[in-house]
C-alpha cells in the first residue's frame, strides 16, 4: 500500500486531500506545523509528523520512505518559493519522483503577487524535479458555503464578475488520481469548475437550494481592512487587496475541460456542493 506525505495536512486543502486518499486506501503521512492548534483529518492510516516549512525542520523525517509528496504552501505566504524549494529538494534527495505541487488558477496573472509567487514556485519545483505534476485549482466553492448556509454571502469585491469555482472534493479526487495513477509526470492541470457564476448568482442558487433567502452583499474594502483584514500581516493584506481588485475587474475564470477529463465525469456544481453541505450533520 502506498504512503503519501501531505503538507499543510491540518488546513482546508490538506484535510480534503487526506480524506480523499484515506477513502481510497492510501496511507497518509500528515505534516503539521509544530505548535499548531489545527488538527489533520483523523484515521487509522494517518501518521502525523511535525514539519516547519519556514525553517525546513522535520523535512528529512517527513519525506523518508514515502512514495509521493503533495505540497502546498500556507495561504499568501511570503516565502512560498523558498518553501517549495526546501520541500522539492528534500523529496529529490530521498529519491522521490512522484511530487504534486498545489498551485493556483492563472499563476501568470501579474496583478496578484501571490499568484506570481506560485508561478515562481512552479518553476523551482520543475527545475528540481521535472517529473513533478502541477495542479492549478480555481477558487473553491467551499470558501462560500458556510456564508451561504448562514444566509448572507458578503465579499469585498464585485457581486457581478464571473467565477468558475471548483468543488474542493473534486480537487482532492484529482489529487488522489495524480498521486497514485500514471501519465501525469511533468503535466500541469488546470482545475476549474463547470459553470460561470457571479456571487450574486451563487446567492440566488443558494436561496433556491435552501428554500430561504440568501443575500449577496459587498463589504467595502476599507471596512474589510478595518475588520477581517486587520489582524493580518501587512503583506497578506496587500496581497488580498490586490486579489479583490482583480476579482472586481474580471473575476477568476478557467476552462473546466481538464477537470472533466481527469475525473471521467461532470465536476460538481455549486448547487450540488450546497445540497451536500446542507444535508451534512452540523458539527457539535
Ligand atoms: N482557498 C482557495 O480557494 C484556493 C484555491 C486555489 C489554491 N489555493 C491554495 O491552496 C493552498 C492552501 O490553502 P488552504 O486554504 O488549504 O490553507 P490553510 O487552510 O491555511 O492551510 C495551510 C496549512 O499550512 C499550515 N502552515 C502554516 N504555516 C506553516 C509552516 N510554517 N510550516 C508548516 N505548515 C504551516 C497551516 O497550519 P496552521 O493551521 O497551524 O496555521 C495550515 O494547516 C494555498 O497556497 C492557497 O493559495 C487555495
Amino acid at each position: 500500500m502506498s504512503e503519501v506525505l501531505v503538507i499543510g495536512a491540518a488546513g482546508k486543502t490538506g484535510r480534503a486531500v487526506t480524506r480523499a486518499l484515506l477513502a481510497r486506501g492510501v496511507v497518509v503521512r500528515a505534516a503539521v506545523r509544530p505548535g499548531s492548534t489545527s488538527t489533520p483529518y483523523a484515521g487509522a492510516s494517518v501518521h502525523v509528523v511535525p514539519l516547519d516549512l519556514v525553517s525546513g525542520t522535520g523535512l528529512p523525517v517527513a519525506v523518508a520512505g514515502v512514495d509521493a509528496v503533495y505540497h502546498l504552501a500556507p495561504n499568501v505566504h511570503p516565502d512560498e518559493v523558498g518553501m517549495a524549494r526546501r520541500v522539492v529538494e528534500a523529496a529529490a534527495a530521498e529519491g522521490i519522483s512522484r511530487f504534486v505541487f498545489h498551485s493556483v488558477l492563472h499563476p501568470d496573472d501579474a496583478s496578484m503577487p501571490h499568484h506570481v509567487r506560485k508561478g515562481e514556485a512552479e518553476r523551482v519545483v520543475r527545475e528540481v524535479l521535472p517529473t513533478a505534476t502541477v495542479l492549478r485549482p480555481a477558487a473553491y466553492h467551499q470558501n462560500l458555503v458556510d456564508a451561504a448556509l448562514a444566509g448572507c454571502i458578503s465579499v469585498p469585491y464585485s457581486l457581478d464578475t464571473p467565477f468558475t469555482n471548483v468543488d474542493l472534493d473534486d480537487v482532492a479526487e484529482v489529487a488522489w488520481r495524480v498521486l497514485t495513477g500514471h501519465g501525469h509526470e511533468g503535466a500541469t492541470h488546470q482545475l476549474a469548475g463547470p459553470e460561470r457564476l457571479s456571487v450574486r448568482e451563487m446567492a440566488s442558487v443558494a436561496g433556491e437550494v435552501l428554500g430561504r433567502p440568501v443575500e449577496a452583499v459587498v463589504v467595502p474594502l476599507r471596512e474589510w481592512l478595518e475588520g477581517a483584514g486587520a489582524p493580518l500581516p501587512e503583506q497578506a493584506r496587500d496581497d488580498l487587496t490586490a486579489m479583490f481588485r482583480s476579482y472586481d475587474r474580471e473575476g477568476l475564470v478557467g476552462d473546466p475541460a481538464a477537470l472533466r477529463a481527469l475525473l471521467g465525469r461532470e465536476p460538481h456544481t455549486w448547487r450540488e456542493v450546497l445540497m451536500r453541505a446542507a444535508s451534512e450533520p452540523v458539527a457539535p
Side-chain angles (χ1 to χ4, degrees), residues 7-15 31-39 50-55 72-77 80 83 101-105 114-115 118 135-143 165-166 168 247 252:
I7 309 271
K12 185 191 276 190
T13 309
R15 286 178 62 89
V32 173
R33 183 171 64 86
S36 175
T37 51
S38 317
T39 48
L51 167 62
D52 182 0
L53 288 164
V54 172
S55 64
L72 57 81
N75 254 320
V76 297
H77 199 285
E80 164 128 27
M83 288 174 169
F101 175 53
H102 187 94
S103 182
V104 74
L105 186 62
H114 70 298
H115 281 227
K118 279 204 166 36
L135 299 183
R136 293 178 171 172
Y140 311 147
H141 277 317
Q142 279 73 4
N143 298 344
N165 289 359
V166 66
L168 177 54
Y247 286 4
L252 188 66

Side-chain angles (χ1 to χ4, degrees), residues 67-259:
D67 301 286
V69 174
Y70 196 81
H71 173 59
L72 57 81
N75 254 320
V76 297
H77 199 285
D79 192 27
E80 164 128 27
V81 180
M83 288 174 169
R85 183 175 293 285
R86 283 187 279 284
V87 177
V88 74
E89 285 181 347
E94 182 65 15
I96 298 164
S97 59
R98 202 175 268 251
F99 189 98
V100 180
F101 175 53
H102 187 94
S103 182
V104 74
L105 186 62
H106 305 324
D108 46 355
D109 186 334
S111 68
M112 292 186 275
H114 70 298
H115 281 227
V116 172
R117 286 197 296 273
K118 279 204 166 36
E120 186 53 30
E122 285 187 9
R123 282 186 282 281
V124 165
V125 164
R126 278 275 159 64
E127 208 178 274
V128 177
L129 265 187
T131 53
T133 308
V134 172
L135 299 183
R136 293 178 171 172
Y140 311 147
H141 277 317
Q142 279 73 4
N143 298 344
L144 301 179
V145 162
D146 286 350
L149 294 178
C152 181
I153 306 179
S154 56
V155 292
Y157 50 86
S158 168
L159 300 179
D160 296 305
T161 50
F163 292 85
T164 50
N165 289 359
V166 66
D167 176 15
L168 177 54
D169 288 340
D170 282 347
V171 174
E173 183 175 331
V174 168
W176 162 70
R177 286 181 185 280
V178 300
L179 283 162
T180 59
H182 293 286
H184 304 288
E185 297 81 3
T188 298
H189 299 307
Q190 186 175 113
L191 305 178
E195 52 192 350
R196 285 167 79 108
L197 290 175
S198 66
V199 171
R200 197 186 299 282
E201 288 165 332
M202 290 183 221
S204 164
V205 170
E208 285 168 30
V209 169
L210 301 173
R212 55 181 187 264
V214 174
E215 268 186 290
V217 176
V218 176
V219 181
L221 186 56
R222 177 177 309 213
E223 225 174 88
W224 180 85
L225 288 167
E226 288 166 0
L232 300 176
E234 190 179 346
Q235 160 269 327
R237 268 203 312 273
D238 289 350
D239 283 356
L240 291 171
T241 298
M243 182 183 85
F244 299 148
R245 292 202 168 119
S246 175
Y247 286 4
D248 258 337
R249 287 190 301 274
E250 54 191 356
L252 188 66
V253 168
D255 181 345
L259 178 60

